[in-house]
Structure formats: structure tokens, C-alpha cells
Amino acid sequence: MDMIMLFTRRRNFIKRISLVTVQIGLLAFSLVFIVFPLVFRYSVTLQRGILFLTFITYPRDLDLSNPSSVGLYATRSFFLNVPDPDVEDNVSQDKDDGGRTKRHVRIGLWHVLPKHVVKRFAKEMQLSDEAHEDLRNVTEVKDPNIDQLETVIKSSFPLVNSENEQQFYERLLAIPGNTIVLYLHGNTASRGSGHRLDVYKLLRNLGYHVISFDYRGYGDSDPVSPTEEGVVRDAMTVYNYISNLTMNPIFIWGHSLGTGVATNMLAQLNYLDDKAARGVILEAPFTNIKDEIRMHPFARPFKHLPWFDHTIARPMYTNSLRFESDQHISKFQQPIMILHAEDDYVVPFQLGYKLYRIALDTRGKSWGPIEFHRFDGSRKFGHKYICYAPELPELIKNFVNNYHKDIF
């Protein structure tokens, strides 16, 4: 009798445990696959938060005001104000000449000087011993424009300090014959993170000025919630800053989300003539946000749900988070170079190749050429390490040399 009662109790206990387990499972399923998509559909804040991952910051304790702390000597850190009537009252404001309030967003930038220029003015910039050691093997570049102005610049800036730093860097940027690369980063961290530093170093080694910045909400820029319109406005402000200082050729380099910013910006700047960008490099690009969401690894548990498009993909379009490079790429004429690794699991390779095919089919025959460079998956470059490909410097140099004098 006791054995029967014990068996009955155990069976009832197992039933209760099983029932609780099923209930917890159903609750978890409902929360993850029903409640979350519904919340996502109606929350613009959540949509922006997942697209613009401003909360991901690395490396920790990075001092963006001191680029030399991450190995970027001869680099100026500064800020620009982006006029934006849509920002909230607690963001930076000042008054115009008529006493009216002007709202703007402050964004942080770096200007990285090319190495051959740094070597010419190393004494005036008071570089560290480590920087001098790094410059020791830099080959002197015969540049008649710098040769002509070097003495004048050195006499004007015998010592570069915080008071004359802006004038010094802008003077060097404006020297005829320079090439400038405007770098647009992806949706995490800041302009000072990881592989981005290596991209800047690669470009400065090739003799280019590099301008990099953080969109609103990122790095040391104002903590304003990013939107597609907002980050494109930031990029256009930086582009205008450069083009107002110099007539030298400007190339745009966008990575990941930055490719969507680049194509959107260029589509809006297609009215420019002699101030137009000479070309654009798209590293790990995608067609549009809807396609990227469907193919992103984080979407795999959700994309087979019947309500996936209705609750996740479509709402971002409704709220103007689109980054439609597949539309924008046919609205500007500049040459394009696309770089994509086959083992990119963040922005799948097929999206970059699809964008390339769309560009071939939709762009004018007399427009700038389109190059597509595939990096074999066995090389393990993934989403952000194409910058370590040994052939990349030559690819970039050829692209720049081919088109730096052409205006399409």
C-alpha cells in the first residue's frame, strides 16, 4: 500500500513538473516570438536601438580627444556643429545674427595626416620618440606642392599647439595635390575602435588624409538618438566642411551601415560638379535594411514566423529606417569599388553581390565604372578584417589613381 501511494505521489509530482515546464515554455515562446515582435513593431525607440547599437562601446576608457593614445600620432581631434532643427531642446544651441535660436548636434572628428606629410613637419608637431621611430622608414615623397609651401608653413607654424592646431591641419589639407578619404563607420562602437584604426593607418601609409567622425549618439558626439536622416546629415556636414576647405579630390569609404550612409549622401549630393566626390569604396555593403534584417544572424529564430515581415521588417521602413542603397546607387555617377568577404555573416556576401548586380543594371553606361572584389572565405576576413588583405593597398591605390582627376 505504501509503495502504491509513493508511486502515485511521484507520478503526480512529475505531472506537476511537466505542466509547469510546459507553461514556462509556452510563456517563453509567447514572450520571445509574439510579445517581442509586437513590441518591436510599435516601438520606434527599440527599432533605432537595434539598428544603431550606440550602447556597444569598445575599447573601454578610450579617450577620443587623445588619438595618440591608440597609436594615431599627428591626428587632430575636434568637433563640428551639425545644424538640425529637429533636435530636442536639451541639445547644443546658440543664436544666429537675428537672435533666433539655432539648434545643432555636435559631432566628434579626427583628421589623420598622411605619413609623408607628417615626416616633413615632425619637428613642428613635437612628436614622441615612438612616432619618430615609426617615421624612420617612411620614404620621402617628391611633392612639388609641398616643396613650394614647406618653408612658408614652417615659418607660420614653428610650433604646433592647441591655439594654432586647427589652422595648421586645415592648411595642410588644402595643399594642392592631396587626396582625402572620408571614412563612414558601421553601427557599433566609435571612430577609435579596433580595425578602424588599421584602416586609417593603411590610408595614411598610402599618402591620403583621413577624416573620420562619429555619428550623433556615438563616441564623443552629442547623445542624440540616431536616425537615418540624422546620420546622413552628419556625414553631409563633414563632407561640406572638407569641400569648403579644399578643391582636392575626396573619396568616400563606407563600411557596413556606413555604406548605406555613403550611398544616401552621394545621391543627395549629385548636384555638385567640381566639388563632387571622385569615388566611393563600399566595404561589406547591403541592399537595404529589409534585406539585411532578413539575413542577419540575430533574425534567424524569427524570420520563419508568418508575422515576421509585418512586425519586424516592415515597421522599420514605415519609420524611415531604410538605407536603400539599391535605390540610391543609381542616383549618383561616381565610380564604385565594392569589397566583400565570402565569410561575412553580419552582412552576408550575397547582399553585397546583389547590390553590385543592381548597380550594373541600373546605372548609366557613361557613369563611373563599378568594381567588385571578392575575398575568399578561407581567408577568414569576415565582416571587418578585409583591411588586412595584402592586396588591398594596391587595389585602393589603383582605384584612387584611376579616378582622382575625373568628375562624372
Side-chain angles (χ1 to χ4, degrees), residues 279-305:
V280 58
I281 298 170
L282 302 177
E283 180 189 0
F286 53 92
T287 47
N288 56 65
I289 280 297
K290 192 184 295 184
D291 288 347
E292 167 60 11
I293 288 175
R294 289 193 184 106
M295 301 190 71
H296 196 281
F298 291 165
R300 286 174 186 165
F302 301 94
K303 65 181 181 180
H304 298 297
L305 297 173

Tab-separated table of all heavy atoms in Angstrom, residues 279-305:
chain	number	residue	atom	x	y	z
A	279	GLY	N	34.990	59.265	-55.967
A	279	GLY	CA	34.645	57.849	-55.983
A	279	GLY	C	34.235	57.382	-54.605
A	279	GLY	O	34.406	58.103	-53.611
A	280	VAL	N	33.685	56.165	-54.536
A	280	VAL	CA	33.228	55.625	-53.257
A	280	VAL	C	33.654	54.163	-53.142
A	280	VAL	O	33.560	53.393	-54.101
A	280	VAL	CB	31.692	55.767	-53.106
A	280	VAL	CG1	30.945	55.068	-54.238
A	280	VAL	CG2	31.228	55.229	-51.760
A	281	ILE	N	34.152	53.816	-51.963
A	281	ILE	CA	34.513	52.437	-51.636
A	281	ILE	C	33.470	51.920	-50.653
A	281	ILE	O	33.256	52.513	-49.588
A	281	ILE	CB	35.920	52.363	-51.020
A	281	ILE	CG1	36.957	52.870	-52.025
A	281	ILE	CG2	36.250	50.933	-50.584
A	281	ILE	CD1	38.352	53.058	-51.437
A	282	LEU	N	32.807	50.834	-51.019
A	282	LEU	CA	31.769	50.238	-50.180
A	282	LEU	C	32.280	48.901	-49.661
A	282	LEU	O	32.409	47.937	-50.420
A	282	LEU	CB	30.475	50.049	-50.978
A	282	LEU	CG	29.873	51.314	-51.612
A	282	LEU	CD1	28.635	50.960	-52.434
A	282	LEU	CD2	29.532	52.354	-50.546
A	283	GLU	N	32.568	48.849	-48.375
A	283	GLU	CA	33.078	47.630	-47.748
A	283	GLU	C	31.950	46.945	-46.991
A	283	GLU	O	31.364	47.517	-46.083
A	283	GLU	CB	34.228	47.973	-46.792
A	283	GLU	CG	34.820	46.764	-46.098
A	283	GLU	CD	35.802	47.132	-44.998
A	283	GLU	OE1	36.028	48.342	-44.769
A	283	GLU	OE2	36.330	46.205	-44.351
A	284	ALA	N	31.645	45.715	-47.383
A	284	ALA	CA	30.559	44.940	-46.773
A	284	ALA	C	29.219	45.670	-46.872
A	284	ALA	O	28.555	45.914	-45.864
A	284	ALA	CB	30.878	44.610	-45.317
A	285	PRO	N	28.795	46.018	-48.096
A	285	PRO	CA	27.528	46.736	-48.244
A	285	PRO	C	26.332	45.787	-48.286
A	285	PRO	O	26.478	44.579	-48.468
A	285	PRO	CB	27.703	47.435	-49.593
A	285	PRO	CG	28.525	46.471	-50.390
A	285	PRO	CD	29.475	45.826	-49.394
A	286	PHE	N	25.151	46.362	-48.135
A	286	PHE	CA	23.902	45.610	-48.236
A	286	PHE	C	22.971	46.370	-49.171
A	286	PHE	O	23.241	47.514	-49.548
A	286	PHE	CB	23.265	45.419	-46.856
A	286	PHE	CG	23.084	46.701	-46.089
A	286	PHE	CD1	21.904	47.419	-46.165
A	286	PHE	CD2	24.108	47.200	-45.289
A	286	PHE	CE1	21.733	48.608	-45.468
A	286	PHE	CE2	23.956	48.391	-44.586
A	286	PHE	CZ	22.765	49.094	-44.679
A	287	THR	N	21.885	45.751	-49.539
A	287	THR	CA	20.947	46.374	-50.474
A	287	THR	C	20.026	47.365	-49.774
A	287	THR	O	19.864	48.500	-50.210
A	287	THR	CB	20.109	45.299	-51.173
A	287	THR	OG1	19.616	44.376	-50.183
A	287	THR	CG2	20.940	44.540	-52.193
A	288	ASN	N	19.413	46.920	-48.683
A	288	ASN	CA	18.523	47.767	-47.889
A	288	ASN	C	18.321	47.098	-46.541
A	288	ASN	O	18.672	45.928	-46.356
A	288	ASN	CB	17.183	48.006	-48.603
A	288	ASN	CG	16.487	46.704	-48.964
A	288	ASN	OD1	16.089	45.933	-48.094
A	288	ASN	ND2	16.353	46.433	-50.262
A	289	ILE	N	17.758	47.828	-45.610
A	289	ILE	CA	17.613	47.306	-44.246
A	289	ILE	C	16.677	46.103	-44.194
A	289	ILE	O	16.895	45.166	-43.424
A	289	ILE	CB	17.125	48.422	-43.297
A	289	ILE	CG1	18.306	49.310	-42.905
A	289	ILE	CG2	16.486	47.852	-42.038
A	289	ILE	CD1	19.399	48.592	-42.118
A	290	LYS	N	15.654	46.103	-45.015
A	290	LYS	CA	14.718	44.977	-45.002
A	290	LYS	C	15.436	43.676	-45.355
A	290	LYS	O	15.275	42.652	-44.680
A	290	LYS	CB	13.573	45.234	-45.980
A	290	LYS	CG	12.405	44.261	-45.837
A	290	LYS	CD	11.339	44.510	-46.889
A	290	LYS	CE	10.696	45.860	-46.709
A	290	LYS	NZ	9.585	46.083	-47.672
A	291	ASP	N	16.254	43.718	-46.413
A	291	ASP	CA	17.012	42.523	-46.794
A	291	ASP	C	18.029	42.148	-45.724
A	291	ASP	O	18.227	40.965	-45.418
A	291	ASP	CB	17.747	42.764	-48.118
A	291	ASP	CG	16.806	42.799	-49.312
A	291	ASP	OD1	15.634	42.403	-49.158
A	291	ASP	OD2	17.249	43.229	-50.392
A	292	GLU	N	18.691	43.156	-45.162
A	292	GLU	CA	19.713	42.888	-44.143
A	292	GLU	C	19.101	42.256	-42.899
A	292	GLU	O	19.662	41.320	-42.324
A	292	GLU	CB	20.439	44.189	-43.785
A	292	GLU	CG	21.305	44.131	-42.536
A	292	GLU	CD	22.429	43.111	-42.587
A	292	GLU	OE1	22.708	42.548	-43.670
A	292	GLU	OE2	23.027	42.851	-41.529
A	293	ILE	N	17.929	42.735	-42.486
A	293	ILE	CA	17.270	42.163	-41.311
A	293	ILE	C	16.920	40.699	-41.562
A	293	ILE	O	17.127	39.839	-40.701
A	293	ILE	CB	15.998	42.965	-40.961
A	293	ILE	CG1	16.382	44.321	-40.386
A	293	ILE	CG2	15.130	42.201	-39.967
A	293	ILE	CD1	15.201	45.217	-40.131
A	294	ARG	N	16.398	40.411	-42.737
A	294	ARG	CA	16.005	39.032	-43.045
A	294	ARG	C	17.194	38.078	-42.988
A	294	ARG	O	17.040	36.904	-42.646
A	294	ARG	CB	15.376	38.967	-44.437
A	294	ARG	CG	13.999	39.601	-44.545
A	294	ARG	CD	13.340	39.208	-45.856
A	294	ARG	NE	12.058	39.878	-46.043
A	294	ARG	CZ	11.859	40.876	-46.895
A	294	ARG	NH1	12.864	41.308	-47.639
A	294	ARG	NH2	10.671	41.431	-47.012
A	295	MET	N	18.385	38.568	-43.339
A	295	MET	CA	19.539	37.682	-43.454
A	295	MET	C	20.516	37.802	-42.287
A	295	MET	O	21.524	37.104	-42.249
A	295	MET	CB	20.270	37.962	-44.771
A	295	MET	CG	19.391	37.753	-45.989
A	295	MET	SD	20.280	37.806	-47.554
A	295	MET	CE	21.195	36.274	-47.465
A	296	HIS	N	20.222	38.686	-41.339
A	296	HIS	CA	21.122	38.854	-40.201
A	296	HIS	C	21.029	37.640	-39.273
A	296	HIS	O	19.942	37.087	-39.069
A	296	HIS	CB	20.770	40.128	-39.434
A	296	HIS	CG	21.843	40.584	-38.502
A	296	HIS	ND1	22.050	40.014	-37.264
A	296	HIS	CD2	22.797	41.549	-38.631
A	296	HIS	CE1	23.066	40.613	-36.662
A	296	HIS	NE2	23.540	41.544	-37.470
A	297	PRO	N	22.161	37.212	-38.684
A	297	PRO	CA	22.139	36.044	-37.785
A	297	PRO	C	21.144	36.173	-36.640
A	297	PRO	O	20.520	35.188	-36.238
A	297	PRO	CB	23.576	35.981	-37.260
A	297	PRO	CG	24.397	36.669	-38.282
A	297	PRO	CD	23.526	37.728	-38.879
A	298	PHE	N	20.964	37.387	-36.102
A	298	PHE	CA	20.044	37.566	-34.985
A	298	PHE	C	18.592	37.336	-35.386
A	298	PHE	O	17.731	37.110	-34.531
A	298	PHE	CB	20.190	38.973	-34.398
A	298	PHE	CG	21.489	39.205	-33.683
A	298	PHE	CD1	21.912	40.487	-33.362
A	298	PHE	CD2	22.301	38.140	-33.327
A	298	PHE	CE1	23.119	40.703	-32.706
A	298	PHE	CE2	23.504	38.334	-32.671
A	298	PHE	CZ	23.916	39.619	-32.358
A	299	ALA	N	18.309	37.404	-36.680
A	299	ALA	CA	16.926	37.248	-37.145
A	299	ALA	C	16.560	35.800	-37.429
A	299	ALA	O	15.391	35.499	-37.689
A	299	ALA	CB	16.705	38.088	-38.400
A	300	ARG	N	17.526	34.907	-37.387
A	300	ARG	CA	17.252	33.509	-37.747
A	300	ARG	C	16.124	32.875	-36.939
A	300	ARG	O	15.296	32.150	-37.492
A	300	ARG	CB	18.536	32.684	-37.606
A	300	ARG	CG	19.527	32.945	-38.726
A	300	ARG	CD	20.838	32.227	-38.494
A	300	ARG	NE	21.822	32.598	-39.506
A	300	ARG	CZ	23.117	32.363	-39.404
A	300	ARG	NH1	23.591	31.747	-38.330
A	300	ARG	NH2	23.948	32.732	-40.361
A	301	PRO	N	16.048	33.114	-35.622
A	301	PRO	CA	14.942	32.497	-34.876
A	301	PRO	C	13.572	33.059	-35.251
A	301	PRO	O	12.550	32.445	-34.955
A	301	PRO	CB	15.275	32.831	-33.411
A	301	PRO	CG	16.717	33.203	-33.399
A	301	PRO	CD	16.971	33.832	-34.726
A	302	PHE	N	13.551	34.240	-35.894
A	302	PHE	CA	12.282	34.926	-36.139
A	302	PHE	C	11.826	34.893	-37.593
A	302	PHE	O	10.639	35.016	-37.868
A	302	PHE	CB	12.392	36.400	-35.711
A	302	PHE	CG	12.749	36.605	-34.276
A	302	PHE	CD1	14.070	36.783	-33.887
A	302	PHE	CD2	11.766	36.617	-33.293
A	302	PHE	CE1	14.402	36.979	-32.564
A	302	PHE	CE2	12.087	36.814	-31.963
A	302	PHE	CZ	13.410	36.990	-31.591
A	303	LYS	N	12.756	34.770	-38.533
A	303	LYS	CA	12.409	35.067	-39.925
A	303	LYS	C	11.438	34.075	-40.554
A	303	LYS	O	10.865	34.360	-41.609
A	303	LYS	CB	13.671	35.183	-40.774
A	303	LYS	CG	14.478	33.914	-40.927
A	303	LYS	CD	15.715	34.219	-41.774
A	303	LYS	CE	16.564	32.976	-41.999
A	303	LYS	NZ	17.757	33.293	-42.814
A	304	HIS	N	11.229	32.907	-39.915
A	304	HIS	CA	10.268	31.945	-40.455
A	304	HIS	C	8.872	32.131	-39.861
A	304	HIS	O	7.935	31.417	-40.240
A	304	HIS	CB	10.758	30.519	-40.212
A	304	HIS	CG	12.063	30.215	-40.896
A	304	HIS	ND1	12.205	30.243	-42.269
A	304	HIS	CD2	13.282	29.897	-40.397
A	304	HIS	CE1	13.457	29.946	-42.589
A	304	HIS	NE2	14.131	29.738	-41.472
A	305	LEU	N	8.749	33.079	-38.946
A	305	LEU	CA	7.431	33.348	-38.377
A	305	LEU	C	6.532	33.990	-39.436
A	305	LEU	O	6.989	34.847	-40.202
A	305	LEU	CB	7.550	34.288	-37.177
A	305	LEU	CG	8.346	33.775	-35.970
A	305	LEU	CD1	8.514	34.888	-34.941
A	305	LEU	CD2	7.656	32.567	-35.338
